[in-house]
Amino acid sequence: MNEEILTPVLDWLDLAGVAIFALTGALVATKERQTFVTLAFFALVTGVGGGTVRDLLIGAPVFWITDPWVAAICLGVALFAWFTPTRWWEGKFLSIADGAGLAAYAVLGTAKALQYGVPPIPSVLMGVITGTVGGMLRDVLAGRPSILMRPELYVTAAALSASLTVAGTLAGIMNWWTWIAAALAGFALRLAAILLNLALPAYHERGQKAD
């Protein structure tokens, strides 16, 4: 990544987000009993999807094209998923791992947009896009209902992390503390949504009662 613009902390956060999202993509492919090539493809698309859209929108070099580690990490994660039993990943692990990647990527996307001179509100949107697009692509390719079409808190968690990143930056709080607090807050909200089934109210036509 561009070391003149991004700090090493963001570099590591980026790689961590890539690895987590790549794992969720690979695990979806394993559950569908796909080939290793498909696992690797799902890992790459899920790992870099959101960051790619973000970089194209803010005019930055597409991060995984210029960073030799990203594609290698996605391939390594796919290999890891290929050689591990599927029972390791049963239950809510996939959702929790996706939530961790969501929060980390939302912080990264927002911080990178701010570093490139994007105004605060669009920077929040860049954080949300960075955190959610990879999972959306994964679900569409797998033929699964997108997480965005369910009422549980998902985009809201990304928006929380992104908003706190902007707020901390504007307040002049040290970047490290801002990024850590923002990532933890978004992950905590997503984890609560998973464990407690928290959701936003759904739209209903005026004059009609909810079912």
Side-chain angles (χ1 to χ4, degrees):
M1 302 184 71
N2 190 336
E3 295 180 357
E4 295 180 0
I5 295 178
L6 296 180
T7 68
V9 175
L10 282 182
D11 288 342
W12 284 108
L13 190 63
D14 198 11
L15 294 178
V18 167
I20 294 171
F21 268 133
L23 179 60
T24 68
L27 292 178
V28 167
T30 63
K31 291 180 182 296
E32 298 294 330
R33 298 293 191 268
Q34 297 297 318
T35 66
F36 175 73
V37 172
T38 304
L39 257 73
F41 179 75
F42 266 65
L44 180 65
V45 168
T46 310
V48 306
T52 299
V53 174
R54 173 206 63 216
D55 287 346
L56 292 174
L57 288 174
I58 68 175
V62 177
F63 74 108
W64 64 277
I65 300 297
T66 58
D67 189 334
W69 287 102
V70 175
I73 287 174
C74 291
L75 180 59
V77 167
L79 281 169
F80 177 72
W82 178 261
F83 287 109
T84 55
T86 56
R87 65 177 181 273
W88 287 13
W89 316 113
E90 294 175 350
K92 296 183 181 297
F93 174 85
L94 185 61
S95 295
I96 293 173
D98 184 75
L102 173 76
Y105 247 24
V107 172
L108 168 77
T110 306
K112 184 170 184 177
L114 288 171
Q115 293 283 355
Y116 272 83
V118 178
I121 293 179
S123 290
V124 171
L125 297 178
M126 290 303 100
V128 173
I129 287 172
T130 307
T132 60
V133 168
M136 290 169 53
L137 292 174
R138 174 198 64 212
D139 292 341
V140 169
L141 290 172
R144 294 155 40 111
S146 173
I147 183 66
L148 297 183
M149 301 305 294
R150 300 199 293 269
E152 63 186 86
L153 300 179
Y154 188 76
V155 175
T156 306
L160 175 62
S161 289
S163 298
L164 290 176
T165 301
V166 167
T169 302
L170 294 178
I173 301 173
M174 184 180 298
N175 284 339
W176 285 49
W177 293 112
T178 296
W179 297 334
I180 292 171
L184 289 177
F187 177 62
L189 180 59
R190 179 62 186 139
L191 185 62
I194 294 169
L195 299 179
L196 303 176
N197 296 317
L198 299 181
L200 295 174
Y203 171 79
H204 296 283
E205 287 284 354
R206 291 180 181 272
Q208 292 185 352
K209 294 183 178 179
D211 293 334

